[in-house]
PDB file of all heavy atoms in Angstrom:
ATOM      1  N   SER Y  83      26.048 -34.212  -8.178  1.00  0.00           N
ATOM      2  CA  SER Y  83      26.816 -34.278  -9.381  1.00  0.00           C
ATOM      3  C   SER Y  83      28.348 -34.216  -9.174  1.00  0.00           C
ATOM      4  O   SER Y  83      29.068 -34.342 -10.130  1.00  0.00           O
ATOM      5  CB  SER Y  83      26.376 -33.189 -10.464  1.00  0.00           C
ATOM      6  OG  SER Y  83      26.864 -31.897  -9.930  1.00  0.00           O
ATOM      7  N   PHE Y  84      28.758 -33.981  -7.970  1.00  0.00           N
ATOM      8  CA  PHE Y  84      30.153 -33.883  -7.711  1.00  0.00           C
ATOM      9  C   PHE Y  84      30.779 -35.267  -7.375  1.00  0.00           C
ATOM     10  O   PHE Y  84      30.458 -35.797  -6.322  1.00  0.00           O
ATOM     11  CB  PHE Y  84      30.432 -32.860  -6.579  1.00  0.00           C
ATOM     12  CG  PHE Y  84      31.902 -32.544  -6.379  1.00  0.00           C
ATOM     13  CD1 PHE Y  84      32.767 -32.351  -7.434  1.00  0.00           C
ATOM     14  CD2 PHE Y  84      32.498 -32.426  -5.118  1.00  0.00           C
ATOM     15  CE1 PHE Y  84      34.104 -32.120  -7.275  1.00  0.00           C
ATOM     16  CE2 PHE Y  84      33.749 -32.203  -4.882  1.00  0.00           C
ATOM     17  CZ  PHE Y  84      34.676 -32.074  -5.929  1.00  0.00           C
ATOM     18  N   VAL Y  85      31.655 -35.720  -8.208  1.00  0.00           N
ATOM     19  CA  VAL Y  85      32.275 -37.012  -8.009  1.00  0.00           C
ATOM     20  C   VAL Y  85      32.955 -37.160  -6.652  1.00  0.00           C
ATOM     21  O   VAL Y  85      32.841 -38.205  -5.924  1.00  0.00           O
ATOM     22  CB  VAL Y  85      33.222 -37.412  -9.250  1.00  0.00           C
ATOM     23  CG1 VAL Y  85      34.027 -38.672  -8.955  1.00  0.00           C
ATOM     24  CG2 VAL Y  85      32.493 -37.431 -10.555  1.00  0.00           C
ATOM     25  N   SER Y 124      26.437 -39.960 -17.986  1.00  0.00           N
ATOM     26  CA  SER Y 124      27.723 -39.371 -17.945  1.00  0.00           C
ATOM     27  C   SER Y 124      28.888 -40.309 -18.393  1.00  0.00           C
ATOM     28  O   SER Y 124      28.837 -41.518 -18.221  1.00  0.00           O
ATOM     29  CB  SER Y 124      27.985 -39.026 -16.396  1.00  0.00           C
ATOM     30  OG  SER Y 124      29.290 -38.767 -16.163  1.00  0.00           O
ATOM     31  N   SER Y 125      29.924 -39.651 -18.856  1.00  0.00           N
ATOM     32  CA  SER Y 125      31.142 -40.404 -19.308  1.00  0.00           C
ATOM     33  C   SER Y 125      31.799 -41.055 -18.087  1.00  0.00           C
ATOM     34  O   SER Y 125      32.637 -41.963 -18.242  1.00  0.00           O
ATOM     35  CB  SER Y 125      32.147 -39.436 -19.905  1.00  0.00           C
ATOM     36  OG  SER Y 125      32.393 -38.307 -19.100  1.00  0.00           O
ATOM     37  N   TYR Y 148      29.377 -42.085  -7.586  1.00  0.00           N
ATOM     38  CA  TYR Y 148      28.650 -41.283  -8.628  1.00  0.00           C
ATOM     39  C   TYR Y 148      28.522 -42.072  -9.900  1.00  0.00           C
ATOM     40  O   TYR Y 148      27.441 -42.155 -10.457  1.00  0.00           O
ATOM     41  CB  TYR Y 148      29.379 -39.952  -8.783  1.00  0.00           C
ATOM     42  CG  TYR Y 148      28.878 -39.153  -9.993  1.00  0.00           C
ATOM     43  CD1 TYR Y 148      27.779 -38.362  -9.847  1.00  0.00           C
ATOM     44  CD2 TYR Y 148      29.492 -39.237 -11.272  1.00  0.00           C
ATOM     45  CE1 TYR Y 148      27.262 -37.578 -10.901  1.00  0.00           C
ATOM     46  CE2 TYR Y 148      28.995 -38.507 -12.312  1.00  0.00           C
ATOM     47  CZ  TYR Y 148      27.909 -37.653 -12.168  1.00  0.00           C
ATOM     48  OH  TYR Y 148      27.436 -36.966 -13.237  1.00  0.00           O
ATOM     49  N   ASN Y 177      32.713 -34.314 -19.955  1.00  0.00           N
ATOM     50  CA  ASN Y 177      32.792 -33.028 -19.121  1.00  0.00           C
ATOM     51  C   ASN Y 177      32.445 -31.793 -19.992  1.00  0.00           C
ATOM     52  O   ASN Y 177      33.011 -31.593 -21.079  1.00  0.00           O
ATOM     53  CB  ASN Y 177      34.189 -32.875 -18.535  1.00  0.00           C
ATOM     54  CG  ASN Y 177      34.548 -33.946 -17.631  1.00  0.00           C
ATOM     55  OD1 ASN Y 177      34.523 -35.140 -18.035  1.00  0.00           O
ATOM     56  ND2 ASN Y 177      34.992 -33.699 -16.448  1.00  0.00           N
ATOM     57  N   ARG Y 183      29.925 -22.945 -14.074  1.00  0.00           N
ATOM     58  CA  ARG Y 183      30.258 -24.201 -13.392  1.00  0.00           C
ATOM     59  C   ARG Y 183      30.471 -24.023 -11.962  1.00  0.00           C
ATOM     60  O   ARG Y 183      30.965 -22.949 -11.496  1.00  0.00           O
ATOM     61  CB  ARG Y 183      31.693 -24.667 -14.046  1.00  0.00           C
ATOM     62  CG  ARG Y 183      32.173 -25.995 -13.655  1.00  0.00           C
ATOM     63  CD  ARG Y 183      31.236 -27.075 -13.959  1.00  0.00           C
ATOM     64  NE  ARG Y 183      31.861 -28.288 -14.462  1.00  0.00           N
ATOM     65  CZ  ARG Y 183      31.347 -29.500 -14.304  1.00  0.00           C
ATOM     66  NH1 ARG Y 183      30.254 -29.668 -13.732  1.00  0.00           N
ATOM     67  NH2 ARG Y 183      31.968 -30.546 -14.827  1.00  0.00           N
ATOM     68  N   GLU Y 186      33.572 -26.106  -7.116  1.00  0.00           N
ATOM     69  CA  GLU Y 186      34.218 -27.354  -6.584  1.00  0.00           C
ATOM     70  C   GLU Y 186      34.853 -28.167  -7.704  1.00  0.00           C
ATOM     71  O   GLU Y 186      35.738 -29.000  -7.560  1.00  0.00           O
ATOM     72  CB  GLU Y 186      33.300 -28.232  -5.757  1.00  0.00           C
ATOM     73  CG  GLU Y 186      32.087 -28.798  -6.493  1.00  0.00           C
ATOM     74  CD  GLU Y 186      30.862 -27.877  -6.596  1.00  0.00           C
ATOM     75  OE1 GLU Y 186      31.119 -26.661  -6.819  1.00  0.00           O
ATOM     76  OE2 GLU Y 186      29.743 -28.412  -6.482  1.00  0.00           O
ATOM     77  N   VAL Y 188      37.140 -28.919 -11.032  1.00  0.00           N
ATOM     78  CA  VAL Y 188      38.577 -28.502 -11.188  1.00  0.00           C
ATOM     79  C   VAL Y 188      38.707 -27.282 -12.107  1.00  0.00           C
ATOM     80  O   VAL Y 188      39.540 -26.423 -11.875  1.00  0.00           O
ATOM     81  CB  VAL Y 188      39.473 -29.655 -11.585  1.00  0.00           C
ATOM     82  CG1 VAL Y 188      39.365 -30.006 -13.064  1.00  0.00           C
ATOM     83  CG2 VAL Y 188      40.923 -29.348 -11.224  1.00  0.00           C
ATOM     84  N   LYS Y 191      37.554 -24.139 -10.362  1.00  0.00           N
ATOM     85  CA  LYS Y 191      38.439 -23.927  -9.240  1.00  0.00           C
ATOM     86  C   LYS Y 191      39.700 -23.280  -9.752  1.00  0.00           C
ATOM     87  O   LYS Y 191      40.171 -22.289  -9.129  1.00  0.00           O
ATOM     88  CB  LYS Y 191      38.745 -25.322  -8.570  1.00  0.00           C
ATOM     89  CG  LYS Y 191      39.641 -25.194  -7.353  1.00  0.00           C
ATOM     90  CD  LYS Y 191      39.903 -26.560  -6.725  1.00  0.00           C
ATOM     91  CE  LYS Y 191      40.887 -26.540  -5.609  1.00  0.00           C
ATOM     92  NZ  LYS Y 191      41.101 -27.827  -5.007  1.00  0.00           N
ATOM     93  N   GLY Y 210      44.931 -31.538  -6.930  1.00  0.00           N
ATOM     94  CA  GLY Y 210      45.296 -33.017  -6.843  1.00  0.00           C
ATOM     95  C   GLY Y 210      46.031 -33.476  -8.154  1.00  0.00           C
ATOM     96  O   GLY Y 210      47.039 -32.825  -8.524  1.00  0.00           O
ATOM     97  N   ASN Y 211      45.459 -34.446  -8.793  1.00  0.00           N
ATOM     98  CA  ASN Y 211      46.124 -35.100  -9.917  1.00  0.00           C
ATOM     99  C   ASN Y 211      46.068 -34.227 -11.229  1.00  0.00           C
ATOM    100  O   ASN Y 211      45.023 -34.145 -11.849  1.00  0.00           O
ATOM    101  CB  ASN Y 211      45.332 -36.418 -10.149  1.00  0.00           C
ATOM    102  CG  ASN Y 211      45.927 -37.251 -11.246  1.00  0.00           C
ATOM    103  OD1 ASN Y 211      46.938 -36.943 -11.783  1.00  0.00           O
ATOM    104  ND2 ASN Y 211      45.137 -38.300 -11.609  1.00  0.00           N
ATOM    105  N   ALA Y 214      45.370 -36.430 -14.861  1.00  0.00           N
ATOM    106  CA  ALA Y 214      44.097 -36.935 -15.345  1.00  0.00           C
ATOM    107  C   ALA Y 214      43.697 -36.221 -16.597  1.00  0.00           C
ATOM    108  O   ALA Y 214      43.941 -35.007 -16.759  1.00  0.00           O
ATOM    109  CB  ALA Y 214      42.982 -36.686 -14.235  1.00  0.00           C
ATOM    110  N   ARG Y 216      40.764 -35.313 -19.592  1.00  0.00           N
ATOM    111  CA  ARG Y 216      39.339 -35.197 -19.809  1.00  0.00           C
ATOM    112  C   ARG Y 216      39.083 -34.644 -21.163  1.00  0.00           C
ATOM    113  O   ARG Y 216      39.890 -33.894 -21.733  1.00  0.00           O
ATOM    114  CB  ARG Y 216      38.673 -34.279 -18.772  1.00  0.00           C
ATOM    115  CG  ARG Y 216      38.659 -34.798 -17.280  1.00  0.00           C
ATOM    116  CD  ARG Y 216      37.642 -35.938 -17.170  1.00  0.00           C
ATOM    117  NE  ARG Y 216      37.586 -36.440 -15.817  1.00  0.00           N
ATOM    118  CZ  ARG Y 216      38.411 -37.317 -15.205  1.00  0.00           C
ATOM    119  NH1 ARG Y 216      39.411 -37.851 -15.986  1.00  0.00           N
ATOM    120  NH2 ARG Y 216      38.218 -37.792 -13.987  1.00  0.00           N
ATOM    121  N   VAL Y 250      44.608 -32.161 -16.902  1.00  0.00           N
ATOM    122  CA  VAL Y 250      44.320 -31.053 -15.959  1.00  0.00           C
ATOM    123  C   VAL Y 250      45.412 -30.013 -16.031  1.00  0.00           C
ATOM    124  O   VAL Y 250      45.219 -28.816 -16.026  1.00  0.00           O
ATOM    125  CB  VAL Y 250      44.034 -31.645 -14.498  1.00  0.00           C
ATOM    126  CG1 VAL Y 250      43.886 -30.504 -13.533  1.00  0.00           C
ATOM    127  CG2 VAL Y 250      42.874 -32.573 -14.496  1.00  0.00           C
ATOM    128  N   ARG Y 277      41.761 -38.793  -5.564  1.00  0.00           N
ATOM    129  CA  ARG Y 277      40.559 -39.588  -5.287  1.00  0.00           C
ATOM    130  C   ARG Y 277      40.945 -41.041  -4.955  1.00  0.00           C
ATOM    131  O   ARG Y 277      41.915 -41.503  -5.487  1.00  0.00           O
ATOM    132  CB  ARG Y 277      39.675 -39.494  -6.540  1.00  0.00           C
ATOM    133  CG  ARG Y 277      39.127 -38.071  -6.641  1.00  0.00           C
ATOM    134  CD  ARG Y 277      38.288 -37.892  -7.929  1.00  0.00           C
ATOM    135  NE  ARG Y 277      37.705 -36.530  -7.789  1.00  0.00           N
ATOM    136  CZ  ARG Y 277      37.050 -35.899  -8.752  1.00  0.00           C
ATOM    137  NH1 ARG Y 277      36.822 -36.544  -9.853  1.00  0.00           N
ATOM    138  NH2 ARG Y 277      36.570 -34.705  -8.610  1.00  0.00           N
ATOM    139  N   GLU Y 280      40.744 -43.215  -9.393  1.00  0.00           N
ATOM    140  CA  GLU Y 280      40.712 -42.157 -10.387  1.00  0.00           C
ATOM    141  C   GLU Y 280      40.262 -42.639 -11.810  1.00  0.00           C
ATOM    142  O   GLU Y 280      40.341 -43.816 -12.123  1.00  0.00           O
ATOM    143  CB  GLU Y 280      42.138 -41.572 -10.538  1.00  0.00           C
ATOM    144  CG  GLU Y 280      42.337 -40.438 -11.492  1.00  0.00           C
ATOM    145  CD  GLU Y 280      41.557 -39.163 -11.264  1.00  0.00           C
ATOM    146  OE1 GLU Y 280      40.331 -39.229 -11.563  1.00  0.00           O
ATOM    147  OE2 GLU Y 280      42.084 -38.162 -10.805  1.00  0.00           O
TER     148      GLU Y 280
HETATM  149  O1  F7E Z   2      37.488 -33.500 -11.808  1.00  0.00           O
HETATM  150  C1  F7E Z   2      41.107 -33.856 -11.100  1.00  0.00           C
HETATM  151  C2  F7E Z   2      40.152 -34.926 -10.660  1.00  0.00           C
HETATM  152  O2  F7E Z   2      35.700 -32.670 -10.291  1.00  0.00           O
HETATM  153  C3  F7E Z   2      38.223 -33.584 -13.075  1.00  0.00           C
HETATM  154  C4  F7E Z   2      31.221 -33.847 -13.281  1.00  0.00           C
HETATM  155  O3  F7E Z   2      30.521 -32.850 -13.970  1.00  0.00           O
HETATM  156  O4  F7E Z   2      32.359 -34.582 -15.164  1.00  0.00           O
HETATM  157  C5  F7E Z   2      32.575 -34.038 -13.833  1.00  0.00           C
HETATM  158  O5  F7E Z   2      33.252 -35.003 -13.092  1.00  0.00           O
HETATM  159  C6  F7E Z   2      39.592 -34.236 -12.861  1.00  0.00           C
HETATM  160  C7  F7E Z   2      39.544 -35.416 -11.958  1.00  0.00           C
HETATM  161  O6  F7E Z   2      35.146 -33.489 -12.643  1.00  0.00           O
HETATM  162  C8  F7E Z   2      41.512 -31.455  -8.523  1.00  0.00           C
HETATM  163  O7  F7E Z   2      40.915 -35.977  -9.857  1.00  0.00           O
HETATM  164  C9  F7E Z   2      42.817 -32.524  -9.827  1.00  0.00           C
HETATM  165  O8  F7E Z   2      40.439 -36.379 -12.492  1.00  0.00           O
HETATM  166  O9  F7E Z   2      36.283 -31.314 -12.366  1.00  0.00           O
HETATM  167  P1  F7E Z   2      36.168 -32.611 -11.736  1.00  0.00           P
HETATM  168  P2  F7E Z   2      34.905 -34.990 -12.900  1.00  0.00           P
HETATM  169  O10 F7E Z   2      35.182 -35.839 -11.747  1.00  0.00           O
HETATM  170  O11 F7E Z   2      35.484 -35.349 -14.199  1.00  0.00           O
HETATM  171  C10 F7E Z   2      31.666 -35.830 -15.310  1.00  0.00           C
HETATM  172  C11 F7E Z   2      31.548 -36.155 -16.729  1.00  0.00           C
HETATM  173  C12 F7E Z   2      30.355 -35.754 -14.566  1.00  0.00           C
HETATM  174  O12 F7E Z   2      29.407 -36.391 -14.991  1.00  0.00           O
HETATM  175  C13 F7E Z   2      30.346 -35.129 -13.218  1.00  0.00           C
HETATM  176  O13 F7E Z   2      29.047 -34.790 -12.811  1.00  0.00           O
HETATM  177  O14 F7E Z   2      40.381 -33.219 -12.141  1.00  0.00           O
HETATM  178  N1  F7E Z   2      41.539 -32.929 -10.067  1.00  0.00           N
HETATM  179  N2  F7E Z   2      42.831 -31.657  -8.797  1.00  0.00           N
HETATM  180  C14 F7E Z   2      40.703 -32.226  -9.320  1.00  0.00           C
HETATM  181  N3  F7E Z   2      39.303 -32.211  -9.288  1.00  0.00           N
HETATM  182  C15 F7E Z   2      38.779 -31.362  -8.397  1.00  0.00           C
HETATM  183  N4  F7E Z   2      37.428 -31.321  -8.335  1.00  0.00           N
HETATM  184  N5  F7E Z   2      39.496 -30.541  -7.524  1.00  0.00           N
HETATM  185  C16 F7E Z   2      40.901 -30.609  -7.508  1.00  0.00           C
HETATM  186  O15 F7E Z   2      41.529 -29.857  -6.778  1.00  0.00           O
END
Side-chain angles (χ1 to χ4, degrees):
S83 73
F84 185 44
V85 173
S124 165
S125 53
Y148 169 83
N177 297 55
R183 188 56 143 153
E186 65 274 39
V188 78
K191 181 175 171 181
N211 181 10
R216 290 290 182 276
V250 173
R277 292 177 174 174
E280 179 62 283

